[in-house]
Amino acid sequence: MTSLEERIQLIEDREAIRELIAKYCHGVDGRDEDLFMSIWTHDAKYLIGGPFGDHEGTEGIQGILLGL
């Protein structure tokens, strides 16, 4: 059995992931560049391949919404 603190941390971690996914989806669907960019760190990698390619860092990722 895990401790109460560990269980609470797990719930908080899952909620943070859900919020991140929601920001990503709303940013892409609404073409909201500010919201979309708020989820990335300076050293992020957006590896989607295919016709959209792979992008690294916020500078490389910024503007990707134009191609979606």
Side-chain angles (χ1 to χ4, degrees):
M1 180 66 121
T2 57
S3 72
L4 178 59
E5 290 82 14
E6 291 170 325
R7 291 167 45 206
I8 291 171
Q9 186 62 57
L10 180 61
I11 292 168
E12 289 177 347
D13 293 345
R14 286 181 179 166
E15 184 57 27
I17 292 168
R18 284 187 184 100
E19 288 177 16
L20 181 70
I21 293 168
K23 284 183 179 182
Y24 172 87
C25 292
H26 288 292
V28 170
D29 291 347
R31 301 210 187 283
D32 182 336
E33 186 174 0
D34 290 335
L35 182 59
F36 180 73
M37 291 308 298
S38 74
I39 69 171
W40 304 100
T41 60
H42 73 281
D43 59 347
K45 293 182 180 183
Y46 190 38
L47 308 175
I48 54 176
F52 301 111
D54 296 333
H55 308 274
E56 294 189 26
T58 51
E59 291 179 8
I61 296 169
Q62 193 161 16
I64 189 66
L65 290 179
L66 299 175
L68 297 177

